[in-house]
Amino acid sequence: MYGNLIDALPSVLSMGNLLAVIVGVVAGICVGALPGLSATMAISVLIPFTFGMDPLVALGMMAGIYNGAMYGGSIPAVLLRIPGTPAAVATSFDGYPMAQQGRGGYALQVAVVSSALGGIVSALVLMLLAPPLAKVTLLFGPTEIFWVAVFGMSAIVFLLGGDVIKGLISAAFGVFVSLVGADTITGAERYTFGHLELLDGINIVVLLVGLYALPPAIGLLEEIRDFDTENTGRLNTTSIWKAIPGMLKYWKTWVRSSIIGVFVGILPGAGGSMAAFLSYNEARRASKNPDDWGKGEPEGVAASETSNNADTAAALIPALTLGIPGTAVAAVMLGGLLIHGLQPGPMLFRDNPEIVFGFMWQFLFAAILLIFLGGALATNSFAQVLRLPRPLLGAIIISLVFIGVYSINGRMFDVYLMLGFGLIGYFMDKLKFPLPPVVLGLILGGFAEQNLRLALRIGGGNWDILASSPTAKVLIGMILLVILSPLFSRLMRARKAKRVAE
């Protein structure tokens, strides 16, 4: 195996293959920075143009787009609180407050370094541990995946702090939205109200743009004054190479988030959004100053960006070894392999080792190039967007999100749906309802329901199957720990206050 890995390196280092990776990374950053566009969409558009290309050139461009888009989503998330991709939602929690404090440039530098490190770890895991790690996925059937989804929802509701009741309401709203559309098992229509456009459910990009893009854009239009010139002058323009030594204190977060991202990546259907939320919550729980999170803590940016990039190559482990894509992007990439006559599965490593291992090297190079291309070009140029007058910036954002949402399916129905969610998001923001649980409820709600029903069918309707395996019992214990931790914290604070009073 490792001999084939070394043998594949010379072909990857050819000028054509390296140029394909570079073009892919730059294109991915631009795609990720535009709300409404995604790596899945960009790679889907690219695939038809790769028919006449060498397989490694085509795959190198795909690897570059995937890595670049995952970082690119953090740019509007940090500067405008508009996640360019669903996985960048957690990045906005602390990235946007940093931008408001005049530290937008530094937040982007933390994001690009963390993204690169997560991508490097993910690529190394794919290269060195793909066959043994693929076996780990066999431990997770529908029952275990259901509990993983429940753990993700409970963690975000109870660990984000603030009003738990409002967090539960927000999560319940997200779960309700996930139920809209045709039932995946019976095919029955649910909450479609006769609209054919809702049969496939509500696109997460429509909800994401509506909740996260429109409310802040409306807020920008409400501000008459321009951006604070004092804060503008304090935008971080320090070289990224000078900033990196100061980031080394986040090494524990990088390690923890990389492990979480890789683990989530190899679970079919989970994806970077779930990895980012789990890593953010775990990093906050391990922090000595958890109350500072959500107010401009760079470690929060490091946690979410590391994990959502650590799942990129890891999601290809079950895809390449078992033919089971872990994410939508991985599924599209499998299509790219099939177009070039490459059949995913165990035989791929035996029949085409130079291509599959070369593809792994390209993921590693794409992650490394993120520091150079993302740090030197994107961070310094995109941070200047804050110099624009606020009303002009708001108008530009609204125009872009209209175009982005319309381009998803080419229909105005999605635009009207986005406006509806934008109105809901505006009032939720005013009433201090947290928005992240809504997004996670949508992502994990349908995912949890589908696996719950599949598990019950396997168990013949017996609910005992949900606690039948050791892995499921461990996950149930973790969920109880997360739910009960706020109660324990309150009891400890009450006892401490009582002792002080005495």
Side-chain angles (χ1 to χ4, degrees), residues 241-261:
W241 306 113
K242 294 180 180 178
I244 287 177
M247 300 179 195
L248 297 179
K249 58 187 175 183
Y250 307 135
W251 71 270
K252 290 183 181 179
T253 299
W254 286 335
V255 172
R256 185 191 307 110
S257 299
S258 295
I259 294 171
I260 293 173

Side-chain angles (χ1 to χ4, degrees), residues 34 88 93 110 113 159 164 180 226 251 259 272 281 311 329 355 359 372 413 438-439 478:
L34 294 174
F93 297 165
V110 172
V113 171
L159 297 181
V164 174
V180 174
D226 288 348
W251 71 270
I259 294 171
N281 292 329
D311 106 304
V329 183
I355 293 178
F359 188 31
F372 296 92
F413 183 85
V438 180
V439 180
M478 293 169 63

